[in-house]
Amino acid sequence: MGRGTAMMGPAHSLSGAASWLGVGAAAAAAGHPMPWPVLAVGALITAGAALAPDLDHKSATISRAFGPISKGLCGIVDELSHAVYKATRGPGDPRRNGGHRTLTHTWLWAVLIGAGASAAAVFGGRWAVLAILFVHLVLAVEGLLWRAARVSSDVLVWLLGGTSAWILAGVLDKPGNGSDWLFTGPGQEYLWLGLPIILGALVHDIGDALTVSGCPILWPIPLGRKRWAPVGPPKAMRFRAGSWVELKVLMPVFMVLGGLGAAGALNVI
């Protein structure tokens, strides 16, 4: 990914985890406290899901994370995104050669992916839950422990993701540990799994909107003559990816906010 065009993976993952911990604090304040396994697993899923929108870019962390499978999927998503862009662009949208930062960087994609994950978890049973956990835990390791993950072989990261998914699913399955958090009806276990996935994708989009290129998060809602308008704060408030603002300001802020969120969610403060 070109410098300046998108936030780096570690910042995306940290912001994702911090956002779920903040949701945990808000849920506790609203009378729906998360059991600690939901807080922990949700933070890890959101950290992983915050890398997922970059599946439309062949050099992104997610496109390398699962070897040839993710590389191939990346190519398909890039072509799909480009096709959707060409079919729906407004008169003010420029022509472009690829699909990076289009379809997968929208609120609609976030909602559809999250809803699909929830449906898979409910109807696919234990193996679907394990698959969702595995994918997002591998991405969380790649994002949060990026320096360690880069010097390890992918197989070690996959083993860590797989064993963690198995252990955490076992913890969640125990009564009172949260498989039925928020959605308590019969057969609704793990329906909540889509929520951290939606949140992670949206947090990724918001992070990219803060960089110099902006992000078309509102598609397909038209803004003037553009349907893919890159939204963001005023140009003077944007920063380049990998700059000191991201490394020295935003990442420490995400860590502090995550700690405060966790403390609030667990009623420590």
Side-chain angles (χ1 to χ4, degrees):
M1 229 162 318
R3 283 178 68 82
T5 61
M7 273 176 72
M8 298 190 308
H12 278 311
S13 286
L14 274 174
S15 64
S19 66
W20 183 259
L21 295 170
V23 168
H32 293 283
M34 295 178 185
W36 72 262
V38 173
L39 186 69
V41 172
L44 289 168
I45 291 175
T46 314
L51 297 180
D54 279 340
L55 189 56
D56 59 5
H57 195 288
K58 64 180 182 296
S59 65
T61 301
I62 185 172
S63 68
R64 300 190 306 264
F66 300 96
I69 295 173
S70 50
K71 269 269 192 270
L73 187 57
C74 168
I76 294 170
V77 171
D78 183 30
E79 290 292 333
L80 171 66
S81 300
H82 190 211
V84 172
Y85 180 87
K86 286 193 296 184
T88 63
R89 72 186 183 95
D93 292 313
R95 293 184 181 278
R96 52 183 302 152
N97 295 321
H100 179 50
R101 206 181 292 202
T102 55
L103 180 61
T104 61
H105 287 68
T106 65
W107 69 270
L108 185 57
W109 175 271
V111 171
L112 290 175
I113 291 296
S118 284
V122 170
F123 297 111
R126 179 173 178 78
W127 289 107
V129 170
L130 286 170
I132 292 166
L133 290 177
F134 169 71
V135 167
H136 288 90
L137 289 173
V138 167
L139 291 175
V141 171
E142 293 273 4
L144 295 172
L145 304 177
W146 77 102
R147 287 199 175 98
R150 287 273 60 87
V151 297
S152 303
S153 74
D154 285 333
V155 175
L156 288 177
V157 177
W158 299 339
L159 284 172
L160 179 58
T163 52
S164 301
W166 189 270
I167 292 167
L168 291 171
V171 172
L172 284 168
D173 280 340
K174 288 186 169 60
N177 273 5
S179 62
D180 61 349
W181 175 72
L182 201 60
F183 302 98
T184 55
Q188 293 182 351
E189 291 83 8
Y190 294 108
L191 186 58
W192 62 270
L193 275 186
L195 298 178
I197 293 172
I198 293 171
L199 182 62
L202 291 176
V203 167
H204 176 110
D205 297 344
I206 292 168
D208 277 359
L210 297 176
T211 63
V212 292
S213 300
C215 185
I217 188 172
L218 295 179
W219 179 87
I221 301 168
L223 293 177
R225 299 175 68 248
K226 294 184 176 182
R227 200 173 285 274
W228 294 90
V231 298
K235 294 274 200 231
M237 296 175 62
R238 301 186 193 186
F239 60 89
R240 297 187 68 79
S243 68
W244 66 271
V245 175
E246 182 174 344
L247 298 171
K248 305 293 187 186
V249 178
L250 290 181
M251 288 175 65
V253 165
F254 295 150
M255 291 181 191
V256 171
L257 291 178
L260 292 173
L266 297 171
N267 289 319
V268 175
I269 58 173

